[in-house]
Amino acid sequence: MKNNKYSSLFKAISEQTALPDNAVIADLGCRDASFLLAFQEAFPDKIKSAIGVDINDKDFKRVKYKKPIKLKVMNCAQKLEFEDNTFDFVFTKDMFECVSDKDFLVSEIYRILKPGGAVICVNCDWDSVVYNGENKELISKAVHAYAVTKQPWMDDLDSWIGRRMYGFFNQNKLFESTVSVHNVVETEYKEGTFGYDLSCDIAWLYKENTGALSEEEYNEFIENLKTAQANGQYIFSKPYYICKAVKL
Ligand SMILES: C[S@@+](CC[C@H](N)C(=O)[O-])C[C@H]1O[C@@H](n2cnc3c(N)ncnc32)[C@H](O)[C@@H]1O
């Protein structure tokens, strides 16, 4: 996770991660396991076994992983296929918003954690994403429309998931919970950045005829970003809420 767009976020996460020796860890909604690999790199002598699960395996081959990492297809909206008190550490990033019964998933994470084990749950608050550019109304419309428009593969969608996660873990007093926010800030509009990639994803709104943003509006949105970049005024910022909850 060095020298890529996730570096600063992973640093903020790993600073809050404390693993015991021979730690057994899991990543729920791991996609290509890149965060599991980053944990392995950051804590090379601590991890005994690591399992990444995702509802589909289409990205499992994208990253080279080896022991102690295993990957498995699993639907985290259902009872997790793990024994009680299995894990020292559970990580999950940008997956909770896809699951409709969040309280059930929290109870499942509680069940599979060992007493004293910790979960770190990281979520972008999509409705708080910021781009600078001339046309405030249009830029806000594009960001908000993308945040609140459910894509077909999602079981659920909550554009405020970042600010809500702490409450999901804290409300039942089963965990000792803390929360912090890591803001990713970019000042260049170029390929490979969060801001550039998100601006490309937003095209989905007109390509799929969602009615949330027209092609003309999308093109003007992109022009706004390019102009801001050309004038040295481009800013993109994205808040990641990092919720840490320790099983009592
Ligand atoms: C936005 S991606 C985040 C991937 C990865 N955690 C990361 O941050 O790089 C969401 C991931 O959650 C997975 N996912 C969505 N719903 C899921 C479910 N019910 N059970 C397991 N994985 C799920 C998706 O397949 C996808 O890989």
Side-chain angles (χ1 to χ4, degrees):
M1 202 117 314
K2 285 178 193 133
N3 304 323
N4 75 17
K5 64 182 184 177
Y6 290 104
S7 307
S8 71
L9 174 63
F10 185 72
K11 185 166 177 287
I13 295 167
S14 60
E15 280 169 3
Q16 298 189 40
T17 307
L19 299 180
D21 289 338
N22 296 312
V24 179
I25 74 170
D27 182 350
L28 308 181
C30 68
R31 188 158 55 192
D32 58 10
S34 51
F35 277 83
L36 272 186
L37 284 163
F39 282 116
Q40 195 183 13
E41 215 175 275
F43 303 97
D45 305 320
K46 291 281 188 184
I47 299 172
K48 185 172 94 180
S49 72
I51 183 153
V53 303
D54 202 285
I55 198 161
N56 70 60
D57 63 0
K58 72 179 167 51
D59 290 314
F60 282 3
K61 290 192 184 71
R62 260 184 32 207
V63 170
K64 281 206 171 76
Y65 61 91
K66 54 182 187 317
K67 268 187 175 176
I69 295 179
K70 283 191 214 149
L71 300 177
K72 188 173 159 68
V73 172
M74 194 182 292
N75 183 355
C76 296
Q78 297 171 357
K79 188 174 187 327
L80 300 174
E81 298 161 41
F82 297 118
E83 300 292 321
D84 298 0
N85 306 319
T86 300
F87 295 101
D88 298 290
F89 177 62
V90 170
F91 178 71
T92 179
K93 176 178 161 293
D94 288 331
M95 189 277 284
F96 249 88
E97 61 265 51
C98 311
V99 170
S100 48
D101 192 346
K102 293 170 180 58
D103 289 334
F104 179 68
L105 180 50
V106 168
S107 73
E108 278 296 283
I109 292 174
Y110 179 82
R111 182 182 66 74
I112 65 173
L113 275 174
K114 295 175 185 170
V119 50
I120 289 189
C121 182
V122 179
N123 292 91
C124 176
D125 201 73
W126 291 102
D127 224 2
S128 315
V129 164
V130 164
Y131 284 102
N132 187 29
E134 190 61 26
N135 191 335
K136 264 161 87 170
E137 209 176 304
L138 175 64
I139 293 173
S140 300
K141 180 178 178 179
V143 168
H144 178 70
Y146 187 74
V148 299
T149 308
K150 195 167 149 214
Q151 302 187 32
W153 57 276
M154 295 171 172
D155 179 27
D156 197 19
L157 172 72
D158 185 351
S159 61
W160 281 19
I161 190 70
R163 72 193 84 172
R164 293 202 205 277
M165 278 321 303
Y166 172 76
F168 283 121
F169 282 98
N170 194 52
Q171 64 192 357
N172 52 24
K173 309 296 174 208
L174 295 173
F175 298 92
E176 189 181 320
S177 313
T178 52
V179 66
S180 59
V181 179
H182 176 79
N183 230 32
V184 171
V185 180
E186 295 169 344
T187 53
E188 273 190 284
Y189 184 61
K190 63 173 186 188
E191 264 181 61
T193 60
F194 281 111
Y196 182 89
D197 292 349
L198 178 62
S199 75
C200 297
D201 290 345
I202 289 173
W204 171 81
L205 290 172
Y206 84 80
K207 287 185 179 162
E208 292 299 318
N209 298 314
T210 62
L213 196 73
S214 69
E215 185 170 358
E216 293 69 34
E217 286 173 316
Y218 177 74
N219 290 338
E220 195 187 329
F221 163 67
I222 297 296
E223 277 315 307
N224 266 255
L225 306 187
K226 287 182 177 168
T227 306
Q229 167 70 20
N231 296 340
Q233 294 169 335
Y234 176 79
I235 291 265
F236 171 79
S237 130
K238 175 184 196 187
Y240 278 106
Y241 283 68
I242 303 173
C243 173
K244 179 173 178 180
V246 176
K247 176 172 172 172
L248 294 171

